[in-house]
Amino acid sequence: MSQQGKHRILMVSDFFYPNFGGVENHIYYLSQCLIKLGHKVVVMTHAYKNRSGVRYMTGGLKVYYVPWKPFLMQNTLPTFYATLPIIRTILIRERISIVHGHQAFSTLCHEALMHARTMGYKVVFTDHSLYGFADIGSIHMNKVLQFTLADVSQAICVSHTSKENTVLRSGLPPERVFVIPNAVDTAMFKPAPKRLSSDEIVIVVISRLVYRKGADLLVEVIPEVCSLHPNVRFIIGGDGPKRVRLEEMREKHSLQDRVDMLGAVPHAKVQSVLVTGHIFLNSSLTEAFCIAILEAASCGLLTVSTRVGGVPEVLPDDMIVLAEPDPTDMVMAITKAIELLPQIDPQDMHNRMKKLYSWHDVAKRTEIVYDRAFKCSNQNLLERLPRYLSCGAWAGKLFCIVMIIDFLFWSFLQLWQPDQDIEVVPDIDLTSSQTGEEM
Amino acid sequence: MTKSEMDTSIITKGRYTYIHDVKKGPPEVIDVHHIVVARNGAGVVKFCACAFLFAVICFLILLLLQGKPVAKVLWSFTFAAFFLKQMLRKQVEKGSVIILPAFGVQLETIYRSGRTVRHFVPIGKILKPVLNECVTPVTCYWSLSLILRGEEELLLVFKELYPPVSMLVPIWKALCAAIDNNERPEMQSDCDTRRFTPKR
């Protein structure tokens, strides 16, 4: 199925364009760079409002918006077996060789990986977030993750902290997990052509204003910083449930002229907001990687961030000032950053980021993971079942039953509609102006 | 019409047969494409089993109602016959596309019950024929549609048929050629039909 070492990859996730976010951008940029390397990439996600069916994106990236309605936080309704027919149809008609699922919180991803394993395809999983262990939601999700990862060919995490977290949650052997960090589009995130004056220091915050992103910390930090440093101004971009608290804080301390609230900033406008500032403030309480600080560094801003999750692994020490997620510590870090500002050269920072992070590098490393996944042996159902049994006393047996039923359903589908009856899609060359077609 | 005035090519795949007739009579060449659906042997058995099951269910429901058993049996078979007839009405035997150059396109659907539905589209009304991939919650298939000027909805050429794409492509190419010939000769062709040739 792969000619000259080139793969045909199916990316599956509940999170894709037209939504914007870390996972969505990751899938898009990775797919574009893999296409440039000569692979064929198809994306499968659920339908968004009336965006349903097949769409083509830049470079001939084909996206299947399968008309399953999302039921909770962008996730498709988990039906276990109902997605098997459409996934089987897509895998056969596109002649897929490897299935790559993204994000542990995506039900479509888990179902697709389960069905792909039943049908004998090689499977790779990328985990993008850190999750807990203690609350009831996390316990259930970790069990689901354990089931999916029991039989995955290879797994990818976006930072070493994330790898630890995934390995602990799922019981996957660490040697099967690769660490490939995210990257940033340095062509899009460029510093301002003219360097900003240092009379007034502008601190930029762009994030969803939710508890997880530390909006409550901001409420404590901003008034303190404003009183300590009279020449500091804040620009806050983003929206969310905590926006009200920030506005109340602004009213209480009369900071209307020193704190600008921009509301939701579309992704295309983020760069224009970042270049108006000197310092980028990230107050997340948990973060597996944090692409936002990469974008800020690429625009030449000095970053102040909470020392959580994978954040310390992202930037070199001279580009970031870390603090504990505590208001006093963060105020001290901002003070230190303001003192460091004269030594920062935005253009130099941008050039260093160009060398450190690039999506082409991520794609090449992912290609190595795909090649390694291909070398895994093909195993039939009986050889795979013991892996599920080791998931737990009761859970193991339940998972085995689920996989056996899945296998029986697949066998029934093969009798109802044999593989040869599903038409293969011809490769249409949308990128070049040649009239020849590949086949 | 003598054999020399007609060119016929036939492709068969699974249940579908594609027949292409070119009638070279005066005044113009008329392009006719048929897609014929074969009677499915296993389908007939399944169908009769479903009808029988339906009759049994009707009978059981009517058992709950008070009344003469003979009347109940008759009623349940009446329902089953009605149900059969409705299903036969839906079953398509043949779909045809007749391209009349510089005039229009006639779409015909012939059902197994004998009913024929015809739809004529003037050539000026067709903006472009398109091959779409349609995605449903359980499957994905190709369909040939016409984009009509001034209309929001696409017009499906074969409404209840799902023929393979290798049969839809020659019809699409013929439709594109007919539309291009209708427009001014110096205009560039929009349908790059050379780029799409599936494996047979």
Side-chain angles (χ1 to χ4, degrees):
Chain A
M1 281 211 184
S2 64
Q3 43 191 125
Q4 302 145 15
K6 296 300 171 196
H7 304 291
R8 301 177 68 91
I9 302 143
L10 177 70
M11 301 275 190
V12 186
S13 183
D14 273 308
F15 307 102
F16 195 62
Y17 184 83
N19 277 357
F20 276 102
V23 182
E24 294 85 339
N25 282 343
H26 174 107
I27 300 175
Y28 177 73
Y29 282 118
L30 178 60
S31 305
Q32 291 294 337
C33 291
L34 285 169
I35 290 174
K36 283 230 165 55
L37 284 173
H39 303 283
K40 161 105 178 135
V41 183
V42 176
V43 179
M44 178 176 151
T45 183
H46 66 75
Y48 291 83
K49 293 192 189 149
N50 53 3
R51 182 185 286 261
S52 163
V54 172
R55 295 279 190 282
Y56 287 89
M57 294 182 86
T58 318
L61 175 63
K62 187 168 178 181
V63 187
Y64 281 84
Y65 289 98
V66 179
W68 286 94
K69 283 266 152 58
F71 86 112
L72 176 71
M73 287 165 72
Q74 287 304 321
N75 278 308
T76 325
L77 182 72
T79 50
F80 281 100
Y81 304 112
T83 42
L84 178 55
I86 182 70
I87 288 173
R88 174 174 172 250
T89 307
I90 293 175
L91 287 172
I92 294 174
R93 74 200 307 267
E94 299 288 344
R95 295 178 292 143
I96 299 292
S97 57
I98 199 159
V99 179
H100 189 164
H102 291 265
Q103 190 61 312
F105 200 60
S106 162
T107 46
L108 188 63
C109 162
H110 287 295
E111 287 191 20
L113 295 187
M114 171 172 88
H115 298 316
R117 279 311 285 152
T118 306
M119 295 191 265
Y121 290 88
K122 300 286 186 277
V123 150
V124 176
F125 174 75
T126 297
D127 203 356
H128 292 261
S129 303
L130 295 175
Y131 290 102
F133 296 83
D135 57 295
I136 197 83
S138 294
I139 293 174
H140 287 305
M141 189 154 70
N142 291 344
K143 211 67 193 172
V144 170
L145 187 70
Q146 212 179 6
F147 166 63
T148 304
L149 295 189
D151 198 22
V152 78
S153 311
Q154 303 292 343
I156 299 173
C157 288
V158 293
S159 65
H160 293 282
T161 314
S162 177
K163 174 174 170 173
E164 263 181 55
N165 187 259
T166 302
V167 163
L168 284 170
R169 274 161 48 220
S170 64
L172 194 61
E175 43 290 351
R176 273 208 270 159
V177 183
F178 290 76
V179 175
I180 302 177
N182 280 327
V184 64
D185 186 2
T186 44
M188 190 166 137
F189 290 94
K190 287 193 164 99
K194 204 171 133 196
R195 206 161 161 179
L196 294 170
S197 83
S198 326
D199 300 333
E200 193 182 46
I201 313 274
V202 179
I203 301 183
V204 178
V205 178
I206 297 186
S207 82
R208 280 179 297 137
L209 302 174
V210 292
Y211 168 73
R212 214 176 134 106
K213 297 287 181 185
D216 297 305
L217 270 176
L218 284 179
V219 169
E220 312 274 319
V221 165
I222 292 176
E224 192 62 40
V225 172
C226 285
S227 70
L228 273 177
H229 305 275
N231 63 337
V232 162
R233 217 161 54 84
F234 280 87
I235 294 179
I236 302 177
D239 207 348
K242 297 284 180 179
R243 187 178 173 170
V244 175
R245 281 205 72 193
L246 283 161
E247 287 182 349
E248 276 171 10
M249 172 270 300
R250 201 166 71 149
E251 293 292 323
K252 190 170 154 193
H253 294 96
S254 310
L255 293 168
Q256 289 89 341
D257 55 335
R258 295 183 67 188
V259 175
D260 282 328
M261 303 218 24
L262 302 177
V265 180
H267 192 251
K269 300 251 165 49
V270 166
Q271 189 260 349
S272 54
V273 173
L274 284 173
V275 295
T276 59
H278 300 87
I279 294 176
F280 182 76
L281 178 59
N282 175 52
S283 53
S284 307
L285 299 179
T286 173
E287 202 74 73
F289 186 79
C290 201
I291 298 189
I293 60 181
L294 274 190
E295 292 170 353
S298 182
C299 288
L301 276 79
L302 179 62
T303 307
V304 174
S305 175
T306 41
R307 186 184 281 112
V308 289
V311 170
E313 299 174 37
V314 177
L315 287 177
D317 292 330
D318 56 336
M319 287 191 192
I320 186 168
V321 180
L322 293 168
E324 295 308 313
D326 168 72
T328 328
D329 217 29
M330 287 187 70
V331 170
M332 273 173 28
I334 294 178
T335 309
K336 187 174 164 198
I338 294 173
E339 284 162 22
L340 284 173
L341 259 185
Q343 300 160 23
I344 301 294
D345 177 12
Q347 196 55 49
D348 179 56
M349 229 187 206
H350 173 81
N351 294 337
R352 278 176 72 191
M353 289 304 295
K354 266 203 320 208
K355 291 202 192 93
L356 283 173
Y357 286 102
S358 106
W359 282 111
H360 295 286
D361 180 52
V362 173
K364 283 205 195 87
R365 288 158 86 165
T366 312
E367 203 183 18
I368 297 173
V369 178
Y370 293 151
D371 292 336
R372 192 74 75 85
F374 253 94
K375 293 204 177 84
C376 290
S377 53
N378 283 329
Q379 289 179 314
N380 62 21
L381 178 70
L382 285 172
E383 286 164 356
R384 286 169 37 228
L385 280 178
R387 292 196 202 171
Y388 293 104
L389 269 176
S390 59
C391 286
W394 290 107
K397 296 179 179 70
L398 179 65
F399 295 160
C400 282
I401 294 171
V402 166
M403 288 312 281
I404 291 168
I405 298 176
D406 200 36
F407 183 81
L408 291 171
F409 188 28
W410 175 53
S411 311
F412 167 71
L413 279 181
Q414 282 188 305
L415 290 168
W416 180 271
Q417 187 185 28
D419 286 355
Q420 303 89 283
D421 284 355
I422 298 178
E423 274 190 297
V424 163
V425 173
D427 277 329
I428 308 166
D429 193 10
L430 291 167
T431 50
S432 73
S433 57
Q434 293 162 357
T435 55
E437 63 278 330
E438 310 161 19
M439 276 283 279
Chain B
M1 215 166 284
T2 62
K3 207 169 173 188
S4 59
E5 287 169 350
M6 265 174 59
D7 286 329
T8 310
S9 56
I10 298 176
I11 306 169
T12 305
K13 196 170 179 186
R15 287 179 57 205
Y16 295 94
T17 305
Y18 166 70
I19 303 165
H20 180 205
D21 284 338
V22 180
K23 297 189 172 110
K24 283 190 185 147
E28 296 265 10
V29 174
I30 296 173
D31 215 3
V32 185
H33 305 262
H34 301 287
I35 292 193
V36 182
V37 186
R39 229 179 234 283
N40 192 353
V44 169
V45 171
K46 266 192 269 185
F47 181 73
C48 290
C50 283
F52 180 69
L53 202 66
F54 190 76
V56 166
I57 293 170
C58 285
F59 178 67
L60 289 168
I61 291 171
L62 288 168
L63 252 171
L64 298 167
L65 307 166
Q66 301 295 318
K68 296 175 193 167
V70 176
K72 277 185 227 166
V73 170
L74 285 173
W75 270 115
S76 57
F77 275 105
T78 314
F79 281 138
F82 179 69
F83 171 64
L84 250 157
K85 185 159 182 282
Q86 284 298 103
M87 283 198 60
L88 263 176
R89 273 174 64 93
K90 286 265 169 72
Q91 277 222 345
V92 176
E93 192 191 325
K94 184 160 112 168
S96 305
V97 178
I98 302 157
I99 303 173
L100 303 151
F103 192 50
V105 175
Q106 166 105 326
L107 307 171
E108 281 184 12
T109 312
I110 301 168
Y111 294 90
R112 266 193 219 290
S113 56
R115 190 168 64 106
T116 307
V117 174
R118 293 187 180 89
H119 185 95
F120 178 74
V121 188
I123 200 96
K125 187 122 180 171
I126 304 175
L127 183 61
K128 206 155 169 198
V130 285
L131 278 168
N132 265 341
E133 284 179 273
C134 306
V135 185
T136 70
V138 290
T139 188
C140 187
Y141 59 90
W142 287 93
S143 74
L144 176 60
S145 320
L146 302 173
I147 304 181
L148 301 175
R149 289 178 205 273
E151 306 251 343
E152 266 187 29
E153 298 232 348
L154 297 173
L155 176 68
L156 278 168
V157 170
F158 299 109
K159 282 199 186 60
E160 283 112 10
L161 285 182
Y162 307 107
V165 72
S166 49
M167 294 182 189
L168 292 177
V169 169
I171 308 176
W172 173 69
K173 285 184 178 173
L175 283 167
C176 281
I179 314 272
D180 290 337
N181 286 338
N182 188 56
E183 285 162 3
R184 282 190 310 241
E186 55 261 30
M187 268 176 74
Q188 277 273 331
S189 164
D190 239 351
C191 299
D192 198 353
T193 56
R194 295 162 296 175
R195 283 206 279 174
F196 196 110
T197 308
K199 198 157 63 165
R200 293 273 161 97

